[in-house]
Amino acid sequence: MERSVGSRRRRRHTRPVLGGAMAVVAAGALTVTGLVSSAQAADVNVARNAGFESGLANWTCSGGTGTTVSSPVHGGTSALKATPAGQDNAKCSQTVAVKPNSTYTLSSWVQGGYAYLGASGTGTTDVSTWSPGSTGWTQLSTSFKTGASTTSVTVYTHGWYGQASYLVDDISVTGPDGGGGTDPGPSIPASPAGLAAGTATTSSVALSWNAVSGATGYTVYKDGAKATTSTGASATVTGLAADTAYQFSVSATNAAGESVKSAAVSVRTAKEGTGPGPVTSVPKHAVTGYWQNFNNGATVQKLSDVPANYDIIAVSFADATTTPGAVTFNLDSAGLNGYTVAQFKADIKAKQATGKNVIISVGGEKGSVAVNSDASATAFANSVYALIQEYGFNGVDIDLENGLNSTYMTKALRSLSSKAGSGLVITMAPQTIDMQSTSGEYFKTALNIKDILTVVNMQYYNSGSMLGCDGKVYSQGSVDFLTALACIQLEGGLDASQVGLGVPASTRGAGSGYVAPSVVNAALDCLTKGTGCGSFKPAKTYPALRGAMTWSTNWDATAGNAWSNAVGPHVHGLP
C-alpha cells in the first residue's frame, strides 16, 4: 500500500529561506587575576526546566501551540511538542539570567518537523541555528557573547509555517551563572506504582507500570534477581519455564541512583501447548481496516476510536531492524497526540474483548523487510512472535510491496504458526500484479500456507488496467475490475473464505482506483449471489467469500466513516 498521495507518507518538506544573521563572537573576561576565558569549570546551564520535566513552567509558547509529551523524549520523562498553525510558527521562549561580557553555548535536541533554536537580546549579535526535520533526535548547537550591560537573554525555539510539529528536549544555555541559578540536580526517583502483568506465555511474561517522573530507566527483578532493563514503562521477561510461578518487581533509575523496588506481582507462565494470549475467531464474513501509527493528514485515532464494523484491525506498520528479517514496533505517541503504549495495549485488549482481532502489519510501500534466507526467516518469526507476546496481537499481516521470496516467507510463517498456535491470524495485502498468476511469489506463498492462511485482501487500486480470469482487460475503479480479478484467486486455488476485496476508504486514501461503497457492495453481491454484476459475471458464486478491506480506518474517519457504515453491515449480511 502506498504511503504517498494522501496515504502513508509521513511528511514532505519545502525548505524555507533562513533569515537573520548567524555569528559567534568569543572574548575573554577581566578578573582580578588577569585575563581568562569566560568558559570556566563552574559554568552552569542557566536555562530553567530545560528538559520540560515540569511541563511548560518557565516557558511561554505562542498561541497555545506548545505542550509536553511523554514519548518520544531524549532524556527524562518529558519533551516539548509544538505545532505551527496558520501564521503562528509555534515559538516557545524563556528569559534567562546571564553575566555581561560572557560567552554561552546554546544547544538542544530536536526531532520531527523544521526546528529552530536561537537567542535574542544578547547585546551583541543574536544567533540561531536550525534543522530541516528528522525522524530521530538531532542536536542543534551555537554560541553567543553577551554585551557589556546585558543581564538577561531570551532563548527560543520555533518551527516553520505549514510544517509538521517539532519536538525539543534538553535545552542547554551553558556559561557563567547570571544570578538566576540553575535547575537542581536529579534526585533518586520514586518507586514505580501500578506494576501489572500482561500476556504470559510458556516462556515469557509481559509487564507494565506507571512512568516515574525524573526516571531515565527501569530495572525489572525476577524473584529478587535482576532480569532485564527498560527505558520505558513496560518490558517482557523471557527465558522462563512453563507452568511456573514467578515474583516480579521493578525499580526506577536515573543519574542519582535507583529507587526502592515496587510492590511485587506474582505471575504463572502458561502450560505447554497453550497460545500466546487472547485468541478470537475471525467471523465468516469480515471487514479488515488498516490503522495508521502516524499522522499524515487523516484523522488521528486511538485503537478505541476504530468503529465496531471492523473485525480485523491491522496496525500499520512494524519497523525493520538492523537484523535482516527482524521487525519491531514503535508507537508514534508524538504523532498520535500523546497516545501511550499503556493505552495502546489496553485498547488492544478491549477490542479483543468485543471479538475483534488486532494484528501487526509488516511492510507498506516503504517497508524494507527482506525475508530471503533461513536466518532472516527465523529472525522474522521470532521477532513477530515477540511482538505478539508483548502487545497481545492476534496475528500478522504481510504487506511487502518491494519483493517477496515465497520459499523463505513460507518458512517464516510456518515457524510463527508453530510458536503462536492455531489461533494465529495471517492476512496478506498483495498488489494486483502480485496475484495475476499462481507462479507469482505472493500467490505461491498464499497457496503454500493455505492451511493456516486467514485471508488475502488484494489491493484493487494504484494499479491501472489488469487481466481478469476470462483473459479480458479491465480498468480499475469498476465493479468488473473487482470481480474479474477476484475470480483469478478464487479459481487459482484459494478458498473463497480466503479472498477479500481491498479498496481505499476515500478518494484521499490512494492515488487511483477509488470506488464508491455501493460499487464494493455490488461486487460482493456479484461474487456471493450472482447479482449486481457488470459486464463480467463469474461462472459460479462463492457464498463463503470472506469480505472486504480498506486503507485506512483513519481515512474512513476523515470521510465520516462513510465506507465502514455502508460496507460493514453489507459484509456482515452476506449469505
Side-chain angles (χ1 to χ4, degrees), residues 261-508:
K261 297 184 182 69
S262 69
V265 296
S266 180
V267 186
R268 178 174 289 276
T269 51
K271 296 180 180 180
E272 292 287 357
T274 59
V279 174
T280 59
S281 60
V282 177
K284 178 181 178 182
H285 299 298
V287 178
T288 301
Y290 285 80
W291 175 85
Q292 297 178 189
N293 177 41
F294 49 86
N295 180 358
N296 66 345
T299 299
V300 173
Q301 291 181 317
K302 297 179 174 66
L303 281 182
S304 57
D305 298 326
V306 177
N309 279 318
Y310 290 99
D311 304 293
I312 303 175
I313 304 169
V315 172
S316 311
F317 295 96
D319 299 312
T321 72
T322 56
T323 301
V327 298
T328 187
F329 178 71
N330 301 290
L331 185 69
D332 185 11
S333 295
L336 302 182
N337 301 327
Y339 193 24
T340 67
V341 171
Q343 290 174 317
F344 177 71
K345 291 180 177 179
D347 285 348
I348 290 176
K349 291 181 179 178
K351 283 293 183 184
Q352 291 167 335
T354 62
K356 310 302 181 183
N357 289 267
V358 183
I359 63 178
I360 181 68
S361 181
V362 178
E365 183 200 14
K366 299 297 181 181
S368 57
V369 180
V371 179
N372 51 21
S373 66
D374 284 326
S376 59
T378 298
F380 180 88
N382 289 344
S383 61
V384 173
Y385 184 55
L387 294 179
I388 289 173
Q389 292 176 296
E390 180 176 358
Y391 293 94
F393 293 127
N394 298 97
V396 64
D397 169 66
I398 307 301
D399 185 14
L400 297 174
E401 298 180 13
N402 298 292
L404 183 149
N405 184 303
S406 60
T407 299
Y408 294 106
M409 182 52 73
T410 297
K411 288 185 177 182
L413 293 174
R414 288 205 172 277
S415 174
L416 177 62
S417 177
S418 68
K419 295 173 182 292
S422 60
L424 182 71
V425 174
I426 301 177
T427 70
M428 292 184 175
Q431 300 172 98
T432 52
I433 191 66
D434 295 320
M435 301 299 285
Q436 284 278 284
S437 169
T438 55
S439 62
E441 293 298 292
Y442 241 113
F443 213 141
K444 286 196 293 185
T445 302
L447 294 176
N448 287 346
I449 63 164
K450 184 177 177 181
D451 57 313
I452 58 173
L453 174 65
T454 305
V455 63
V456 175
N457 291 304
M458 189 176 76
Q459 302 174 46
Y460 292 77
Y461 51 95
N462 292 338
S463 69
S465 300
M466 286 286 166
L467 291 172
C469 66
D470 57 355
K472 295 181 180 179
V473 177
Y474 293 93
S475 299
Q476 65 178 2
S478 65
V479 65
D480 288 334
F481 189 78
L482 301 179
T483 55
L485 269 66
C487 175
I488 297 176
Q489 301 170 58
L490 293 164
E491 294 300 311
L494 292 180
D495 189 82
S497 66
Q498 296 173 319
V499 177
L501 307 180
V503 296
S506 73
T507 55
R508 298 177 64 188

Side-chain angles (χ1 to χ4, degrees), residues 1 118 120 172 198 244 291 304 383 394 419 519 551:
M1 296 182 190
S120 61
S172 176
T244 303
W291 175 85
S304 57
S383 61
N394 298 97
K419 295 173 182 292
V519 176
W551 174 264

Side-chain angles (χ1 to χ4, degrees), residues 97-125:
V98 295
K99 278 190 174 182
N101 293 323
S102 300
T103 299
Y104 290 82
T105 299
L106 173 64
S107 67
S108 71
W109 291 87
V110 299
Q111 183 181 147
Y114 282 70
Y116 291 74
L117 176 69
S120 61
T122 63
T124 57
T125 303

Side-chain angles (χ1 to χ4, degrees), residues 519-571:
V519 176
V520 180
N521 290 344
L524 293 168
D525 288 343
C526 178
L527 293 169
T528 58
K529 298 183 287 187
T531 62
C533 301
S535 61
F536 172 82
K537 187 170 184 178
K540 63 179 181 180
T541 58
Y542 307 90
L545 190 82
R546 181 66 77 175
M549 170 275 280
T550 197
W551 174 264
S552 63
T553 65
N554 306 76
W555 285 118
D556 186 24
T558 304
N561 292 315
W563 189 90
S564 58
N565 286 339
V567 177
H570 198 83
V571 167

Side-chain angles (χ1 to χ4, degrees), residues 195 205 207 220-222 237 240 246-250 263-265 267:
L195 178 61
V205 170
L207 301 167
V220 178
Y221 292 87
K222 178 192 71 178
V237 181
L240 307 178
Y246 294 93
Q247 291 273 334
F248 296 99
S249 58
V250 62
V265 296
V267 186

